[in-house]
């Protein structure tokens, strides 16, 4: 009986000691959290797309007639100036026709001059002069036709640019429409990409874009939107947008695939770290510290950027939001905020109480 009484007394004494060690007769210390005052930050909407590079100007020169190539005046990948001769086709027959037409033209003009003098002296009729005038005009037209035919056999560059690889040689007989060379002006690159109609209101001519190519992953290419197609694709419900990229170093080539990023709109809104956000289904919450307690507040979020979440509704600048320790707290629970007076004191008191109890 005496031993039983001693055991009960010992248990009561240990229980009292334990209560003092906790420093809170009602339970454990409130959880320690980290909180920060909310601030406004700039958020930028971005539109991502994939586009294809197109030369600023590009044309494929082809033979206008079936003829033999006499001369090619370009090397693989060479730069040629506007008006420079690219290829010359044989024109012997046309040259002979020009000589004949020129001779007829001279003869017709001489005959017209003689008839005009005779008419002035009364020895030629007006009808004879008119008939000879028509013959002279016809001879002139035939000579012009022969010159044009010869000119068609001299193929010139319509603009300055870089010529493609040569796949044909002098002496070859080519048919009408046979490709001889492709000339590309790549001093600037047209970048065509599709944007969904839902984002159409966020783009406009003059807007800055940034493009990246797989060949140069660390080098961004910046340009501006030059035009937006007036017609949407009915299958994809997207509009084609064209941007212009400077290409002085000729790194970008027509046909390249580029990823496009557009900074659509910048705005200022309240921001919180991503770790402060608590999600439940379709809703998001944050914990705000008020009067030493955590209060759960529903918020409406926007975009995420650089580890921060845009808050559209629910918070105002200056409110203290729990950024670390959200998993340890619940709505209305008392908390200790790291760095505030008493936050560390509770831990120290707890340690002293435990030492004394031991």
């Amino acid at each position: 009986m005496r031993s039983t009484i001693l055991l009960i007394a010992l248990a009561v004494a240990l229980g009292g000691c334990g209560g003092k060690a906790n420093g809170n007769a009602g339970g454990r210390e409130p959880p320690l959290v980290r909180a920060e005052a909310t601030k406004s930050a700039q958020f930028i909407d971005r539109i991502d797309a994939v586009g294809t590079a197109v030369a600023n100007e590009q044309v494929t020169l082809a033979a206008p007639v079936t003829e033999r190539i006499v001369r090619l005046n370009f090397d693989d990948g060479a730069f040629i100036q506007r008006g420079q001769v690219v290829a010359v086709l044989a024109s012997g027959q046309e040259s002979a026709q020009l000589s004949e037409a020129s001779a007829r033209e001279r003869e017709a003009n001489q005959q017209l001059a003689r008839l005009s003098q005779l008419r002035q002296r009364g020895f030629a009729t007006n009808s004879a002069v008119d008939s000879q005038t028509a013959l002279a005009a016809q001879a002139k037209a035939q000579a012009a036709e022969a010159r044009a035919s010869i000119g068609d056999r001299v193929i010139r560059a319509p603009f300055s640019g870089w010529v493609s690889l040569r796949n044909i040689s002098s002496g070859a007989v080519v048919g009408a429409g046979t490709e001889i060379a492709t000339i590309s002006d790549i001093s600037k690159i047209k970048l065509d990409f599709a944007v969904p109609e839902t984002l159409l209101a966020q783009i406009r001519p003059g807007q800055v874009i940034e493009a990246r190519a797989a060949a140069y992953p660390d080098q961004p290419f910046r340009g501006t939107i030059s035009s937006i197609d007036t017609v949407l694709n009915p299958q994809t419900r997207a509009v084609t947008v064209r941007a212009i990229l400077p290409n002085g170093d000729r790194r970008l080539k027509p046909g390249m695939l580029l990823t496009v990023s557009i900074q659509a709109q910048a705005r200022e809104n309240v921001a919180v770290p991503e770790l402060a956000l608590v999600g439940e289904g379709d809703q998001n919450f944050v914990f705000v510290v008020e009067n030493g307690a955590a209060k759960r507040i529903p918020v409406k979020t926007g975009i995420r950027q650089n580890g921060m979440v845009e808050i559209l509704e629910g918070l105002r600048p200056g409110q203290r939001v729990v950024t670390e320790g959200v998993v340890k707290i619940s709505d209305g629970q008392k908390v200790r905020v790291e760095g505030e007076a008493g936050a560390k004191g509770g831990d120290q008191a707890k340690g002293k109480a435990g030492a004394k109890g031991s």
Side-chain angles (χ1 to χ4, degrees), residues 207-222:
Q207 207 164 4
V208 177
I209 71 153
E210 183 177 282
R212 292 182 181 271
Y216 313 104
D218 298 328
Q219 179 183 356
F221 298 90
R222 294 181 176 84

Side-chain angles (χ1 to χ4, degrees), residues 267-285:
R267 59 186 178 276
E268 293 280 341
N269 270 324
V270 174
V272 298
E274 291 182 342
L275 293 176
L277 203 65
V278 179
E280 290 185 7
D282 296 335
Q283 292 185 321
N284 293 307
F285 302 88

Side-chain angles (χ1 to χ4, degrees), residues 170-293:
S170 299
V173 176
V174 294
T178 301
E179 296 182 4
I180 294 177
T182 298
I183 300 175
S184 303
D185 173 12
I186 57 174
S187 58
K188 294 186 293 185
I189 287 291
K190 296 174 181 176
L191 180 60
D192 293 344
F193 55 93
V195 173
E197 64 173 328
T198 54
L199 302 176
L200 188 58
Q202 300 184 30
I203 58 175
R204 64 188 184 280
Q207 207 164 4
V208 177
I209 71 153
E210 183 177 282
R212 292 182 181 271
Y216 313 104
D218 298 328
Q219 179 183 356
F221 298 90
R222 294 181 176 84
T224 56
I225 295 177
S226 63
S227 57
I228 302 172
D229 199 349
T230 56
V231 180
L232 272 72
N233 187 319
Q235 282 74 38
T236 62
R237 299 299 176 187
V239 64
T240 300
V241 180
R242 172 166 290 177
I244 302 297
L245 303 178
N247 192 37
D249 55 5
R250 291 185 290 156
R251 290 197 176 190
L252 297 177
K253 308 293 184 184
M256 270 187 169
L257 187 70
L258 289 89
T259 58
V260 185
S261 176
I262 307 173
Q263 294 184 358
Q265 182 179 1
R267 59 186 178 276
E268 293 280 341
N269 270 324
V270 174
V272 298
E274 291 182 342
L275 293 176
L277 203 65
V278 179
E280 290 185 7
D282 296 335
Q283 292 185 321
N284 293 307
F285 302 88
V286 296
F287 285 97
V288 175
V289 179
E290 292 182 356
N291 300 323

Side-chain angles (χ1 to χ4, degrees), residues 82-124:
R82 177 181 180 180
Q84 182 176 331
V85 175
V86 176
V88 178
L89 305 182
S91 58
Q93 183 177 357
E94 288 69 29
S95 297
Q97 292 174 352
L98 176 59
S99 298
E100 181 181 359
S102 297
R104 289 177 180 175
E105 182 183 7
R106 288 193 300 271
E107 182 182 359
N109 287 331
Q110 290 172 358
Q111 185 65 20
L112 178 60
R114 284 194 293 268
L115 285 175
S116 297
Q117 292 177 358
L118 291 174
R119 185 182 58 177
Q120 292 175 358
R121 295 165 58 185
F123 295 108

